[in-house]
Amino acid sequence: MTTTTPPAPPAQPEPPTSSGKPIPASTAAKSALTNRWASAAALLIAILWTIPTFGLLISSFRPENEVKSNGWWNFFSSPSFTLDNYTQVLEGGSGGGGLMTNLVNSVVITIPSVLIPISLATMAAYAFAWMDFKFRDTLFVAVFALQIVPIQVTLVPLLSLYVDPPFDLLPLAGRDAPGGGFYTIWLSHSIFAMPLAIFLLHNFMREIPGELIESARVDGAGHVQIFTRVMLPLMAPAIAAFGIFQFLWVWNDLLVALVFSSPEAAPMTVKLVSLVGQRAEDWQLLASGAFVSLIIPLIVFLALQRYFVRGLLAGSVKG
């Protein structure tokens, strides 16, 4: 007795379009993710995510007695509006100084802490991507491995390095200060950002067609001209994307600022922590201070949003 294996069922063809051609799998997946139910779910998540922030915003404009006596949703039944919270937070009052000086300190800290690693990382990424030198791959792996080192582990060695010769950076901010000045914060944030910046920008550079580099070399361009005239214009989305990440990281940082900054160079985050510790019962001031610290990062993100999206998508697909 012999048995026969039943034939395999024929492969199901892709559903045809109105023109009779099959629908690509990527198009079908895109339509499944952008249908009515997916959009409704995304809208619901966005609303639930925004409600607490919206309540904090309303509380920042409510009088002190209203904030402490009822919830923020009572604003809609008995609206009460005041700007005294922001005035007291920015200018200060009997409880201490305002946040305006710390806001300026945050700007002074953040801008160099973004520009320094980007400037160094773009040149290093170009060298790793398009220049041949000894131990290039080994050095790149070592740079990539530095991302694994936790920041907390490096704080004490870095502080010792700043205090001891030959660097001895603390006198620039005053030897009696518990931390350094702007110099130590700039260096620390740049050091922590360099491995990730080099890794991301290197991967983006490798996606640039080599024919562009060869054409520039045929025309007599050297590495400096190729880097400045070919690479930098093409790398604008990737640089902007990393710049946003680094800006938000430095602006919201507390640990590095607590360790390396002096009281005169303290950013917004340090002042907000002291405000919480000294006046934790003043919820309306905490809400106002939170939104003061939110204004500049929000402006930066909205201004560079299109570059941010392009930088995230760069190199994700080929063809």
Side-chain angles (χ1 to χ4, degrees):
M1 180 177 180
T2 60
T3 59
T4 58
T5 304
Q12 296 294 329
E14 295 183 344
T17 60
S18 57
S19 60
K21 297 180 180 180
I23 300 176
S26 58
T27 304
K30 181 179 179 180
S31 61
L33 293 174
T34 56
N35 59 23
R36 187 175 304 173
W37 292 106
S39 301
L43 180 61
L44 179 61
I45 294 173
I47 292 175
L48 294 177
W49 191 275
T50 307
I51 286 176
T53 306
F54 181 68
L56 192 66
L57 176 62
I58 292 179
S59 298
S60 67
F61 288 104
R62 301 182 71 201
E64 180 179 357
N65 59 338
E66 294 286 339
V67 172
K68 294 182 178 180
S69 60
N70 51 63
W72 62 267
W73 49 87
N74 292 280
F75 173 83
F76 299 100
S77 58
S78 57
S80 181
F81 182 86
T82 181
L83 293 176
D84 293 341
N85 300 332
Y86 286 93
T87 302
Q88 190 172 356
V89 163
L90 291 175
E91 299 179 0
S94 59
L99 295 178
M100 185 57 70
T101 301
N102 304 98
L103 180 63
V104 176
N105 289 344
S106 292
V107 175
V108 174
I109 289 172
T110 305
I111 292 178
S113 298
V114 173
L115 295 181
I116 292 174
I118 286 180
S119 302
L120 298 177
T122 49
M123 293 185 288
Y126 176 81
F128 282 121
W130 297 106
M131 295 178 66
D132 293 327
F133 55 91
K134 207 170 184 180
F135 304 116
R136 183 185 66 174
D137 296 336
T138 304
L139 289 175
F140 182 74
V141 172
V143 170
F144 174 76
L146 289 176
Q147 301 179 61
I148 306 174
V149 180
I151 294 177
Q152 295 82 356
V153 176
T154 64
L155 294 180
V156 174
L158 268 181
L159 188 59
S160 301
L161 187 66
Y162 293 155
V163 173
D164 298 333
F167 296 98
D168 206 13
L169 295 177
L170 292 187
L172 297 174
R175 173 66 71 175
D176 55 343
F182 294 123
Y183 302 94
T184 53
I185 304 180
W186 293 339
L187 287 175
S188 302
H189 281 301
S190 300
I191 291 171
F192 297 148
M194 283 292 292
L196 179 61
I198 293 174
F199 177 72
L200 292 179
L201 296 178
H202 167 270
N203 291 345
F204 183 85
M205 281 190 182
R206 295 300 298 176
E207 295 296 330
I208 296 177
E211 289 79 4
L212 293 177
I213 310 299
E214 295 299 329
S215 300
R217 288 175 180 170
V218 169
D219 293 337
H223 285 299
V224 175
Q225 292 176 319
I226 294 174
F227 176 75
T228 56
R229 298 184 181 182
V230 178
M231 286 295 177
L232 286 182
L234 295 175
M235 290 178 61
I239 293 175
F242 175 78
I244 292 177
F245 276 123
Q246 179 69 358
F247 187 95
L248 296 178
W249 170 262
V250 176
W251 186 272
N252 295 322
D253 171 74
L254 175 62
L255 181 61
V256 175
L258 282 176
V259 175
F260 297 111
S261 69
S262 62
E264 295 77 11
M268 285 278 297
T269 51
V270 175
K271 184 64 177 180
L272 287 175
V273 169
S274 65
L275 186 65
V276 171
Q278 297 171 4
R279 313 183 66 174
E281 72 278 359
D282 294 338
W283 302 339
Q284 74 285 353
L285 298 183
L286 295 177
S288 303
F291 275 94
V292 168
S293 66
L294 177 66
I295 293 174
I296 294 181
L298 185 62
I299 294 174
V300 171
F301 182 81
L302 293 178
L304 300 177
Q305 183 180 11
R306 57 174 182 169
Y307 297 106
F308 178 72
V309 176
R310 288 169 56 190
L312 289 180
L313 296 179
S316 60
V317 294
K318 293 184 177 181

